[in-house]
């Protein structure tokens, strides 16, 4: 399994709705609303990097209210 943290900037006032919608997506492990330059942080996992990319591009980024995402792959050092 591969995992990534997805940092999300939302439209003003949309963080709760975005977090609730993303929490329903299969492959999403955890969703947290946060303060700072990002509004929502998501931990997602998939079997392959390609599957994870598909999850992010075709499902997460299509959620209404998202302005920008930044994906940080988890590595095992």
């Amino acid at each position: 399994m591969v995992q990534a943290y997805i940092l999300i900037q939302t439209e003003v006032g949309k963080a709760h709705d975005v977090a609730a919608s993303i929490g329903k997506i299969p492959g999403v492990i955890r969703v947290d609303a946060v303060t700072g330059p990002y509004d929502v942080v998501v931990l997602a996992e998939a079997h392959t990097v390609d599957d994870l990319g598909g999850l992010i591009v075709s499902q997460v980024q299509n959620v209404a209210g998202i302005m920008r995402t930044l994906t940080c792959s988890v590595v095992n050092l």
Side-chain angles (χ1 to χ4, degrees), residues 24-72:
K24 298 175 185 173
I25 297 173
V28 170
I29 304 221
R30 182 176 175 134
V31 180
D32 291 302
V34 297
T35 60
Y38 296 96
D39 303 302
V40 177
V41 176
V42 175
L43 177 59
E45 74 176 4
H47 290 289
T48 68
V49 171
D50 289 339
D51 290 342
L52 186 60
L55 168 76
I56 294 165
V57 172
S58 68
Q59 295 184 54
V60 172
Q61 290 181 344
N62 282 331
V63 171
I66 292 178
M67 293 178 53
R68 182 181 312 232
T69 65
L70 174 68
T71 301
C72 303

Side-chain angles (χ1 to χ4, degrees), residues 5-30:
Y5 288 96
I6 308 162
L7 311 176
I8 300 172
Q9 291 177 334
T10 68
E11 296 173 5
V12 174
K14 296 292 184 178
H16 181 285
D17 295 338
V18 167
S21 294
I22 290 175
K24 298 175 185 173
I25 297 173
V28 170
I29 304 221
R30 182 176 175 134

